[in-house]
Amino acid sequence: MTGLVYKSTGSWYTVKSEKGDFIECRMKGKFRMKGIKSTNPIAVGDIVDYELEETSDALTGTIFNIHERKNYIVRKSVNLSKQIHIIASNIDQVFLLITINNPPTTTSFIDRFLVTAEAYGIEAILIFNKIDTLNDNTLDEQLYLQHIYQEIGYKCLRISSTENKGVDKLKEMMIGKVSMFSGHSGVGKSTLVNAMEPTLHLKTTVISEQSKQGQHTTTFAEMYDLSFDARIIDTPGIKGFGIVDMEKEEISGYFPEFFKLKDQCKFNNCLHKEEPHCAIKAALEKDEIAWSRYNSYLKILEGDDEHYRTDTYGEDRAASDETRN
């Protein structure tokens, strides 16, 4: 039997059958996905083959095969530095929710996420959320950030879930697609999903006034069917986004505005640092490339993961479950 993984907790997987039934399944043995060292061999969005098992309590299943993925998106594992954590697979588009100060989202975090999406061939769209909370200063900052990314070519949306601004536009973009929501804890992922589909009643919390950080509400990635012919994968909030599996020479290729100019550099292997006749540095001096983007590039190039850590305990629990199994 074949089904689609809707939720993964590390030991149990909720699989939707072709008939529309939800079956709780476990893995059969260990899976090794073409050399991918992952803390979670099975991810939300995977198409799997399973066989039913009738226990005394309920009907369960055993997954014995994972179909080839068209794509997937990962982040660096928290406890196991040489492994990755697959956030979700078979995604049509990913929406990164950004808030200016409620909680703050740094350009470094945004750029790391965008680089990863570029590397794995997934369209990334930026949602500037909670626009109803902006004052004059933070509004200017939000509009400036939006300008930077729109100039690069990224689609941007301005949304207020509480005032229902921009929600209909978002729903139009999601019709017929599998979309993933990501961002820091507290940026309003679950609140936005509830605004689109009130019957889901996803758990939400308020931002801590002292720390300006969100609290844990989503602990594992989970997919939901929406009434307007769309699927959404709601993911745990994350604080940092460690870059994995990239050679230094290829990193600039995942910055679209850098990629357009790379062939104009004097050296084919230019890292855009001290090299002479560098087209990227020349564009930077002319303000044709944002300094924030260049600084993010340098941090990734130098492997600066100092501030990387997760803001959810879901992966830790999943990794420990896999270790025990």
Side-chain angles (χ1 to χ4, degrees), residues 299-319:
K299 287 180 181 179
I300 296 172
L301 191 69
E302 294 160 5
D304 180 12
D305 284 341
E306 179 183 354
H307 302 295
Y308 166 71
R309 70 179 180 87
T310 188
D311 196 30
T312 181
Y313 46 88
E315 179 191 332
D316 295 335
R317 193 187 304 171

Side-chain angles (χ1 to χ4, degrees), residues 39-298:
T39 60
N40 59 328
I42 299 174
V44 172
D46 277 341
I47 301 170
V48 297
D49 295 322
Y50 65 96
E51 51 193 9
L52 293 176
E53 295 178 343
E54 193 158 357
T55 65
S56 57
D57 296 327
L59 192 64
T60 59
T62 302
I63 297 170
F64 61 87
N65 181 52
I66 306 172
H67 292 216
E68 184 176 354
R69 297 164 173 146
K70 74 174 183 179
N71 61 34
Y72 55 92
I73 191 165
V74 306
R75 69 168 178 259
K76 188 175 290 185
S77 175
V78 180
N79 294 327
L80 305 169
S81 60
K82 294 183 179 179
Q83 292 198 339
I84 62 172
H85 181 78
I86 303 173
I87 302 174
S89 68
N90 300 319
I91 309 159
D92 294 315
Q93 57 192 2
V94 56
F95 292 91
L96 180 63
L97 275 71
I98 299 164
T99 46
I100 301 303
N101 65 348
N102 194 25
T105 305
T106 65
T107 53
S108 177
F109 174 84
I110 296 169
D111 294 335
R112 286 173 181 272
F113 191 93
L114 292 177
V115 164
T116 300
E118 293 280 351
Y120 288 91
I122 301 171
E123 181 183 11
I125 301 162
L126 303 183
I127 291 179
F128 292 93
N129 200 26
K130 302 185 183 180
I131 59 171
D132 56 290
T133 67
L134 301 177
N135 57 33
D136 289 344
N137 292 332
T138 52
L139 175 61
D140 287 344
E141 184 179 348
Q142 185 272 304
L143 292 175
Y144 176 67
L145 277 180
Q146 182 174 337
H147 172 73
I148 288 175
Y149 292 104
Q150 283 181 328
E151 285 293 300
I152 296 168
Y154 289 106
K155 297 176 185 175
C156 298
L157 295 174
R158 302 180 73 246
I159 283 179
S160 167
S161 303
T162 56
E163 297 183 356
N164 203 36
K165 293 180 179 177
V167 175
D168 288 341
K169 173 71 173 177
L170 174 60
K171 290 169 72 172
E172 287 177 15
M173 298 175 70
M174 294 173 61
I175 293 173
K177 296 180 179 180
V178 175
S179 304
M180 186 182 98
F181 277 16
S182 194
H184 292 323
S185 290
V187 294
K189 296 184 299 294
S190 298
T191 300
L192 182 52
V193 176
N194 285 339
M196 292 189 294
E197 198 72 77
T199 57
L200 287 179
H201 301 296
L202 299 190
K203 184 181 177 183
T204 61
T205 58
V206 296
I207 297 293
S208 165
E209 283 301 317
Q210 183 176 359
S211 66
K212 290 296 183 184
Q213 299 296 326
Q215 307 301 313
H216 304 295
T217 53
T218 305
T219 55
F220 298 101
E222 185 167 3
M223 184 184 295
Y224 298 95
D225 292 322
L226 305 179
S227 60
F228 50 95
D229 186 29
R231 289 189 180 122
I232 180 69
I233 300 174
D234 188 23
T235 63
I238 48 179
K239 270 243 172 120
F241 206 87
I243 299 294
V244 294
D245 296 335
M246 290 185 191
E247 299 295 331
K248 287 189 174 183
E249 292 76 15
E250 69 177 311
I251 292 172
S252 64
Y254 300 127
F255 285 75
E257 71 274 40
F258 290 19
F259 183 75
K260 292 177 182 176
L261 299 172
K262 279 181 67 174
D263 60 353
Q264 298 177 31
C265 291
K266 181 177 180 179
F267 301 104
N268 291 333
N269 61 347
C270 184
L271 291 179
H272 322 302
K273 293 180 68 180
E274 293 87 14
E275 299 90 342
H277 306 292
C278 170
I280 276 76
K281 288 194 295 180
L284 188 67
E285 294 298 333
K286 297 175 186 176
D287 288 328
E288 295 171 357
I289 288 176
W291 279 96
S292 62
R293 292 279 287 171
Y294 184 69
N295 288 333
S296 292
Y297 165 73
L298 291 180

